[in-house]
Structure formats: structure tokens, C-alpha cells
Amino acid sequence: MQSHLACFNPACRARYDITTVLYNCPKCDGLLEARYDFGDLDAESLKKTWRERRMSNAPLCQSGVWRYRELFPFVDDDRHIVTLREGNTPLLEGPRAAEYGGLARITFKHQGFNPTGSFKDNGMTGGVAQARRLGMKRVACVSTGNTSASMAAYASAGGLEPLIFIPHGNISYGKLAQALEYGAKTFQVEANFDQILALVRVLAERLGIYLLNSINPFRIEGQKSIVIEMMDQRDWRVPDWIVLPGGNLGNVSAFGKGLREMHELGFIDRLPRLAVVQAQGASPFYEYMCAQGKKPFRAQEHPETLATAIKIGDPVSWPKAQFEIETTNGVVERVTEQEIADAKAIIGQCGIGCEPASAATLAGIRKLTANGVISRGADVVAVLTGNVLKDPDYIYRYHTGQLKAPDDSMIKATFGNAPVVVPNDAERIAELIS
Ligand code: F0G
């Protein structure tokens, strides 16, 4: 099986050996992607093999990423792989959320069930495998929190030294706590995500550290497994829409690539439409796509949102995301802080729960059904990217009417559920309950 790195820019398409340490094309500065010669891969027999692996106790078969390794065959030696049994995340029905979103039915693919509580684990196991294959000792990332939590865990589990760079004061404690607990050297930099990414790229080059941001093509390869597993769980029935929150735009790029490859190889008979939802205060991709090619991509210098996971003004993967949205006849939407907060509470009421960025999906769906882009009867899968416990502070503030938007306006506790302080008095409590 032949694999190589290729420039994503259609005007360049330069090729590099799969073991070259590169994040951008040296010729044109374009994004890079892993490409394979899949040969005569038989979709039907692989579907069977993947099902059988679910019954196995072998670690790589138990992984909801490496179970599907034939679709990202870049690893030459399985001993490089570090698995924490990532993936295996459920498809959940949320009737209350469907009603709120203007749909007859909705399914959530809940990536918050991953070992470190977010979809980053699917990609990180891929990136760390490549780091170990390349003989790297140290790995680094800049993160709004989830990437760092995931990288810390996988690097430490694999005997690598994790170095983490995060915007000072702008990530949730749940995520920072994970990085510390998993033993990462953690730098809180007084700059925003986009500025720190530029800084870390310089440091990585100078100090020979392997960069594990989503610009790393092997992270994207691992993340393809989310949509492969989703199709497997749906017995290969393609939904009409897949809805994702958009920050750095790595995830939509991975979904698009995975879907195209599955389509080309005969695993699925059509492509679903992809919808990306951004927070209004951090929506450079939305603005770019709305301009329909009339304006160049422009980064947002001061992104603002309480959904800190997607507080990104200069998403690196926008060219890939644009390609995948156009290829799937997809759309980009944006939603306000209030819309995110209310949608999140509704997902919570379904007994499901998620972190703020993930709830942008349901908020976006509500808008897209209201304006007729998504029809009520459509088969829609929304990807919940992070666990409800990633940002408990946000939850408490919302339910107690204390959540403030970045512009200092109060978020209304539309679906608030504040705790009640009571005396130690059975009579009084009985009265309150009945
Ligand atoms: N949802 C969550 C919970 C995230 O953590 C992120 C990204 C996204 C959505 C957006 O995904 O960047 O692929 O478009 N978090 C990154 C991080 C940036 O550093 O953890 P994307």
C-alpha cells in the first residue's frame, strides 16, 4: 500500500514522502494531506471485517479508530500506535432537541464519550502514532483546551513529552486540569489562539518538536474515523445532513475527506450535505463563504465567544473546509451566544449534555430549519464534540442567571434550572416539592 503526503492546493499537488516532517507545502505553502493508493480494496468484505473486530479483545480492534485502519493506512508498524480505546462513541436520539431544532428526529454522534471527553482523541491517536514512528521525543500544540487535554494523555501514554500552549485565562478549567493531570508542561501565553499558533510553529521548527495541531495531516486521518464509525453504526445509510461546530475547521475537513474516500471506494452510495456552525463572534469562515468568492478570506483579529473551544479568528484549515462544503453542497451558519446557551440547555434536558461549542450544532439546525435550508423530515446527525463536564462553570452561571456574554450583556436563563437553597426542614421541603 502506497501512501504519501500531497499538497492540497490543486494548482500545486506536490508530493512528499510520508515520513517528511512538514505541516505546509514548501513549494506553495498550501495545506498538506495524506494520500493513498487503495488498490482494489473490497468495501463489502471490509465492512464485515470491521464488524467482526468489534467482538475482539485485541486493543487495536477495540479502538473505534484503528478498527477502520484500512482507510488511513499510513502506519507501517502497529507498535507505534497508542490507544486509549478512543472512538466507540454512541449515536443518541434526542426527541426534545429535535422538536426544538424544527426536526421530526435528530441523532447526536456524541464524541464527548471519548477517553479525554472530546473528538480530539480520534485524531490524536493518529498524530501520536506518526510522532512515534518518526522517532520524535517531544510534541506540542496550541489549543483552546480539548486538543491539549487529548495530546497530554496520548503523549504521556506513549512515552513522549507533551508541551502545551494555551491562551491565558481563556480556556475552561476542566480542560486545563486535564493537561496538568496528564503531565503536560503547560504554558499559559498572554495572546490569543491564532497568535500562539504562529509562535508555536516557530518554536517547533527551532527546537525539533513535533507539532500536533490539526494542521498535522495525521490528526485529520484519525479524525476521519468519526464519520466512518458513524456510517458503520447506521449500517451505511447516509444521512441527509451532518452538522458540526466550526473553529479551526479541521473536523469538517476530516469529515469531508472521509466521506469522499468512502464514496469513491464504494462504502456509501452518495454524500451527505455538511453544515458548519460558527459562533457569531468568531465566524470568519461564515463571512467568507457568504461573500461567495467576492472577498478574500479575512481573519478576525479579536474573536469572542463563551464557547471557548471555537474562539478562533484565523482557522488554518479554511481552504480544505471550503472544498468539503462545496463538494457536499453544504452550508455555513452562525449563531449567537444566547442561541448556543439555550440549545445547550435543551441538549441537557434530553439527558445527553455537551459543552458550549457542541451546542452550536442544534442552535444552527434551528436556524437552518426556520429558513427552509433543512426540511423538517430530513435525516440529520449533529456531532457533539465535547463532554458536558468540560465547562461546568458555564453551566452553573447559565442556570443561575449569571452568564455574561463577551460584550458584558447578560445571557437569559431561558431554560434555567437553578438549585434551591432550603432549611433542614422536611415540612418546608415537602411543600416545595408538591
Ligand atoms: N468543538 C470542540 C469541543 C472543540 O474543542 C473544537 C476545537 C471544535 C468544536 C472545533 O473543531 O477546530 O476542527 O473546527 N478545538 C480545538 C482545540 C481548536 O484546541 O481543542 P475544529
Side-chain angles (χ1 to χ4, degrees), residues 3-6 8 13 18 32-36 38 71-74 217-225 227-228 244 249-265 268 271 274 320-321 323-325 327-328:
S3 54
H4 62 270
L5 285 172
F8 188 77
R13 289 279 188 241
I18 197 80
L32 295 172
E33 65 173 0
R35 289 199 160 209
Y36 314 101
F38 285 110
L71 291 196
F72 34 93
F74 64 87
F218 303 98
R219 287 235 356 244
I220 301 292
E221 289 308 294
Q223 259 167 245
K224 285 185 338 197
S225 64
V227 72
I228 302 170
L244 304 151
L249 303 173
N251 210 23
V252 62
S253 305
F255 270 61
K257 186 172 192 278
L259 286 164
R260 281 187 289 113
E261 289 170 346
M262 280 192 282
H263 190 220
E264 280 156 25
L265 294 168
I268 53 175
L271 293 175
L274 290 173
K320 287 186 176 178
F323 179 77
E324 305 304 352
I325 290 288
T327 303
T328 62

Side-chain angles (χ1 to χ4, degrees), residues 31-302:
L31 296 167
L32 295 172
E33 65 173 0
R35 289 199 160 209
Y36 314 101
D37 170 10
F38 285 110
D40 52 1
L41 186 149
D42 178 359
E44 289 313 309
S45 79
L46 258 186
K47 286 180 186 177
K48 281 206 196 91
T49 305
W50 292 342
R51 274 298 158 90
E52 282 160 15
R53 284 182 185 159
R54 289 199 202 177
M55 304 294 289
S56 166
N57 283 328
L60 294 196
C61 295
Q62 289 188 339
S63 163
V65 174
W66 299 105
R67 182 182 304 138
Y68 305 103
R69 55 190 173 268
E70 285 80 2
L71 291 196
F72 34 93
F74 64 87
V75 179
D76 64 340
D77 183 342
D78 288 352
R79 286 172 300 183
H80 296 311
I81 295 174
V82 178
T83 175
L84 298 172
R85 310 303 186 272
E86 52 289 325
N88 301 305
T89 60
L91 288 177
L92 304 171
E93 296 274 325
R96 172 94 184 86
E99 184 195 319
Y100 182 79
L103 294 169
R105 237 188 101 189
I106 192 168
T107 309
F108 292 111
K109 172 73 172 157
H110 205 328
Q111 291 302 109
F113 282 62
N114 259 301
T116 77
S118 86
F119 73 102
K120 303 292 180 180
D121 293 342
N122 290 66
M124 200 53 72
T125 185
V128 164
Q130 183 69 2
R132 281 163 50 94
R133 173 203 198 160
L134 296 172
M136 296 289 175
K137 298 282 176 268
R138 291 188 292 197
V139 290
C141 70
V142 52
S143 177
T144 55
N146 281 323
T147 297
S148 51
S150 183
M151 194 193 80
Y154 281 84
S156 291
L160 306 175
E161 187 189 344
L163 301 169
I164 282 167
F165 298 81
I166 50 174
H168 186 38
N170 262 308
I171 77 166
S172 73
Y173 268 119
K175 299 172 188 178
L176 174 57
Q178 285 181 292
L180 302 179
E181 187 79 356
Y182 296 138
K185 183 167 274 181
T186 304
F187 298 97
Q188 294 181 282
V189 187
E190 279 164 348
N192 69 24
F193 178 91
D194 308 301
Q195 296 161 327
I196 304 171
L197 181 55
L199 171 86
V200 173
R201 291 183 71 153
V202 172
L203 283 171
E205 179 127 4
R206 188 185 299 173
L207 303 175
I209 302 167
Y210 195 55
L211 200 57
L212 281 176
N213 273 99
S214 59
I215 196 164
N216 184 309
F218 303 98
R219 287 235 356 244
I220 301 292
E221 289 308 294
Q223 259 167 245
K224 285 185 338 197
S225 64
I226 303 170
V227 72
I228 302 170
E229 183 181 70
M230 180 196 297
M231 292 304 154
D232 184 4
Q233 288 166 316
R234 291 174 53 96
D235 298 319
W236 309 97
R237 275 177 293 107
V238 179
D240 299 318
W241 289 92
I242 296 176
V243 186
L244 304 151
N248 220 7
L249 303 173
N251 210 23
V252 62
S253 305
F255 270 61
K257 186 172 192 278
L259 286 164
R260 281 187 289 113
E261 289 170 346
M262 280 192 282
H263 190 220
E264 280 156 25
L265 294 168
F267 286 87
I268 53 175
D269 55 8
R270 66 186 175 99
L271 293 175
R273 298 177 74 181
L274 290 173
V276 167
V277 187
Q278 296 207 288
Q280 191 146 314
S283 52
F285 187 57
Y286 169 85
E287 282 177 15
Y288 171 67
M289 294 298 278
C290 281
Q292 296 187 320
K294 292 188 198 89
K295 285 188 205 152
F297 183 85
R298 204 169 316 132
Q300 212 168 313
E301 216 175 311
H302 299 292

